Amino acid sequence: VSTQIEDALGDGAVDCVIISTPTPSHASLAQRALEAGKQVFAEKPLCANAAEVWPLYECAAKRGLLLFTAYNRRYDPAIRLARDNLRGGGRGRVLGASLVSPDFPY
């Protein structure tokens, strides 16, 4: 774990870089990480605008790397409803669940 991108980019043991910085820095940090051969996991939004996104996807595809954007739906109303319904009982023992939901509003 480091707060300095250079530490991660120069470390051969690091396969993936997590970018959780202010949005304006995402594009340049992701580009540097991809060029260093690292998988990239970035908090959303990936970039400030679409023009910054496409070069990153092209760079990742060219190098066979993953470029992933986090989208935490923990507080999404549909997820909370599903969780509450599953926790409410009456369905027997739940071994697994899969939920597909459109974006809010429903």
Side-chain angles (χ1 to χ4, degrees):
V1 177
S2 177
T3 58
Q4 301 302 313
I5 188 90
E6 293 78 13
D7 295 340
L9 299 183
D11 189 337
V14 173
D15 297 319
C16 179
V17 173
I18 298 171
I19 300 173
S20 58
T21 58
T23 301
S25 66
H26 287 188
S28 64
L29 292 174
Q31 185 73 38
R32 289 175 61 193
L34 292 167
E35 289 173 355
K38 310 296 182 186
Q39 315 289 350
V40 173
F41 181 88
E43 288 294 330
K44 85 171 188 65
L46 176 57
C47 295
N49 59 64
E52 292 178 339
V53 173
W54 293 116
L56 297 178
Y57 279 108
E58 290 169 355
C59 184
K62 182 174 154 182
R63 290 171 169 75
L65 297 169
L66 296 175
L67 175 61
F68 184 79
T69 302
Y71 187 74
N72 185 339
R73 298 191 72 135
R74 181 177 4 182
Y75 303 106
D76 184 298
I79 302 301
R80 286 180 165 265
L81 178 63
R83 181 203 62 199
D84 293 345
N85 283 333
L86 290 170
R87 286 183 178 167
R91 289 169 180 71
R93 184 173 173 223
V94 177
L95 301 176
S98 178
L99 177 71
V100 177
S101 99
D103 288 333
F104 188 81
Y106 303 97

